[in-house]
Amino acid sequence: MTTVFLDPTIVLTAGLLVAVIVIAGATLRAWQGWLEFKRQELERSGGRAHAEEGSGLGTARIELADLKERIRKLEAIASGVEL
């Protein structure tokens, strides 16, 4: 009867390959779970991704003022005026 000795490099490589496969499988499962969570979240909100949280008259006014300020700056740049 002969005794077979495994090369430590082969054992280490096989162990690392198994570890990578396990980590990749766990990551894939977590990714699929996250996607399913987001899908359910969208279904619950009726396709509106939290539109109620950030919307409102005050927010719209702030965004409008921001856009007006950007336009003013772009016009100043176009005319060559330093701000």
Side-chain angles (χ1 to χ4, degrees), residues 65-82:
D66 184 46
L67 289 173
K68 286 181 180 180
E69 180 67 19
R70 288 182 185 182
I71 290 172
R72 187 185 66 77
K73 287 181 180 180
L74 288 173
E75 287 174 344
I77 291 171
S79 65
V81 176
E82 288 288 327

Side-chain angles (χ1 to χ4, degrees), residues 3-34:
T3 305
V4 177
F5 292 103
L6 294 175
D7 186 21
T9 306
I10 294 174
V11 173
L12 181 63
T13 304
L16 288 175
L17 182 61
V18 168
V20 166
I21 290 171
V22 168
I23 290 172
T27 304
L28 178 62
R29 186 170 176 105
W31 175 252
Q32 289 173 342
W34 184 82

Side-chain angles (χ1 to χ4, degrees), residues 42-64:
L42 284 173
E43 288 173 0
R44 273 185 276 135
S45 68
R48 295 168 287 138
H50 302 295
E52 295 84 30
E53 290 179 9
S55 66
L57 188 57
T59 304
R61 287 182 180 168
I62 291 172
E63 290 177 4
L64 185 59

